[in-house]
Amino acid sequence: AQSVTQLDSHVSVSEGTPVLLRCNYSSSYSPSLFWYVQHPNKGLQLLLKYTSAATLVKGINGFEAEFKKSETSFHLTKPSAHMSDAAEYFCVVSDEDTGFQKLVFGTGTRLLVSP
Amino acid sequence: DTGVSQDPRHKITKRGQNVTFRCDPISEHNRLYWYRQTLGQGPEFLTYFQNEAQLEKSRLLSDRFSAERPKGSFSTLEIQRTEQGDSAMYLCASSSIGTGSLRADTQYFGPGTRLTVL
């Protein structure tokens, strides 16, 4: 079965400093991986997705993630945090054994951004 | 706004009552999913529709839960005889079968219905 582990439940950064949210995956085949963001009282929004093309994936709002097969990692980064980045971030792997995309979510990382 | 919509956004009910939630997917999307998110956790898959056919149900979906998608448009999720453990955010997502591979599929989520069972 496919799964993801988000290594930090909370990450605190100052505005303007880099962001690193860590995610490791477990998959029996080359996975499809995603990062979603959830702002309070808003729906989940797709930040970026990896589907076996380029290993460095660029997403919205300046975020990017690098797929590293040797480390089974898919960490999310951003060079400079903005106050509006404060939210819950989910690393997600797709379980496609059933012929459709069953998304398997991590437990989430809450990003706190201080002025 | 042509995104996924859900109604109601909040529902408070007493234990033992029945509740029904509605999801309106993006109009051209033929795939529809329900997920449940409890406090401090990531969403968990509940069920999947392709057009009007319910093709997959999670073991999380007990006999008290039923979902429908008549005519392959909107979907409803009903919970009978609610229990306090049913308190959660219920999320709906939709996607389309694109011309590319399965991996090209992207699920778009609605804002969710927050259920509180007293």
Side-chain angles (χ1 to χ4, degrees):
Chain A
Q2 281 58 248
S3 66
V4 289
T5 301
Q6 292 185 246
L7 300 171
D8 306 292
S9 60
H10 293 81
V11 170
S12 295
V13 299
S14 299
E15 191 175 21
T17 64
V19 175
L20 170 63
L21 304 183
R22 299 182 295 165
C23 173
N24 287 117
Y25 70 89
S26 174
S27 178
S28 54
Y29 47 77
S30 183
S32 294
L33 292 161
F34 310 79
W35 277 96
Y36 277 84
V37 61
Q38 188 174 40
H39 290 273
N41 301 316
K42 290 190 176 181
L44 286 158
Q45 182 183 20
L46 179 68
L47 279 178
L48 50 82
K49 65 180 180 181
Y50 166 77
T51 56
S52 76
T55 56
L56 182 63
V57 183
K58 294 188 183 298
I60 61 172
N61 300 335
F63 285 95
E64 62 181 37
E66 186 172 7
F67 175 75
K68 291 186 176 181
K69 186 176 180 179
S70 61
E71 299 177 9
T72 62
S73 69
F74 190 58
H75 301 333
L76 182 70
T77 61
K78 183 174 180 178
S80 176
H82 191 272
M83 294 295 291
S84 61
D85 294 328
E88 188 87 17
Y89 291 79
F90 292 97
C91 182
V92 184
V93 65
S94 174
D95 182 347
E96 295 160 10
D97 286 341
T98 50
F100 69 96
Q101 274 199 0
K102 180 189 297 185
L103 298 185
V104 179
F105 286 75
T107 51
T109 297
R110 182 164 297 278
L111 177 63
L112 306 170
V113 183
S114 57
Chain B
D1 188 340
T2 58
V4 179
S5 61
Q6 293 186 245
D7 184 70
R9 295 290 304 274
H10 303 272
K11 179 70 177 178
I12 300 175
T13 191
K14 293 182 179 179
R15 187 178 56 187
Q17 297 295 304
N18 298 344
V19 294
T20 300
F21 310 140
R22 177 180 171 122
C23 170
D24 286 275
I26 294 171
S27 59
E28 62 268 26
H29 284 183
N30 47 13
R31 293 182 167 186
L32 187 145
Y33 314 78
W34 285 97
Y35 293 82
R36 180 173 69 186
Q37 183 178 19
T38 53
L39 205 60
Q41 299 297 317
E44 295 173 291
F45 170 81
L46 291 179
T47 190
Y48 160 66
F49 289 85
Q50 184 167 310
N51 299 311
E52 68 276 5
Q54 187 176 20
L55 298 184
E56 180 82 6
K57 290 173 60 173
S58 163
R59 285 172 292 179
L60 293 175
L61 220 59
S62 75
D63 292 344
R64 296 183 298 105
F65 288 72
S66 63
E68 295 182 340
R69 192 183 182 198
K71 301 180 182 178
S73 56
F74 70 92
S75 176
T76 59
L77 178 67
E78 181 183 15
I79 309 174
Q80 296 182 326
R81 305 181 304 281
T82 52
E83 302 173 355
Q84 289 183 326
D86 298 331
S87 295
M89 176 78 84
Y90 290 84
L91 297 166
C92 176
S94 69
S95 69
S96 64
I97 300 177
T99 54
S101 68
L102 175 65
R103 294 180 168 209
D105 220 358
T106 296
Q107 293 184 30
Y108 296 88
F109 283 81
T113 294
R114 182 170 296 283
L115 173 66
T116 301
V117 182
L118 302 175

